[in-house]
Amino acid sequence: NLKANTAIAALMTMLNEFYDKGVNKVEYKTFLALLNPFAPHITEEMWSLIGNEKTIDEKHLRVLFFINKWVTK
């Protein structure tokens, strides 16, 4: 099953775009929330370093999954 590899490849593509064009805080938070299921410990640490007191929880992930379903219709 290569779905996880495909997801990580897409995240790497997004990261390369950030290097090329820059990133704002909202985009960075979205990237961390998407990366969290694959690398929870480091993303939680990075999440707290940008000033968030709460963790990346299911609420953030549910919103992102809703947006994904809406965009891919």
Side-chain angles (χ1 to χ4, degrees):
N1 192 343
L2 298 176
K3 290 182 181 183
N5 289 345
T6 303
I8 292 171
L11 290 170
M12 292 301 299
T13 301
M14 182 187 289
L15 186 61
N16 289 334
E17 289 289 321
F18 291 164
Y19 280 122
D20 292 341
K21 298 179 182 176
V23 61
N24 63 40
K25 192 169 183 176
V26 172
E27 292 168 336
Y28 186 63
K29 288 171 77 171
T30 302
F31 178 76
L32 291 178
L34 291 169
L35 184 59
N36 184 262
F38 303 101
H41 297 96
I42 190 69
T43 54
E44 290 292 348
E45 183 67 24
M46 294 167 77
W47 187 260
S48 68
L49 288 174
I50 60 172
N52 295 300
E53 294 181 12
K54 296 182 179 179
T55 62
I56 303 172
D57 60 8
E58 289 181 17
K59 180 177 134 188
H60 293 94
L61 295 175
R62 276 188 268 138
V63 169
L64 291 170
F65 289 131
F66 172 76
I67 290 169
N68 183 45
K69 281 186 174 183
W70 182 73
V71 169
T72 57
K73 280 187 178 180

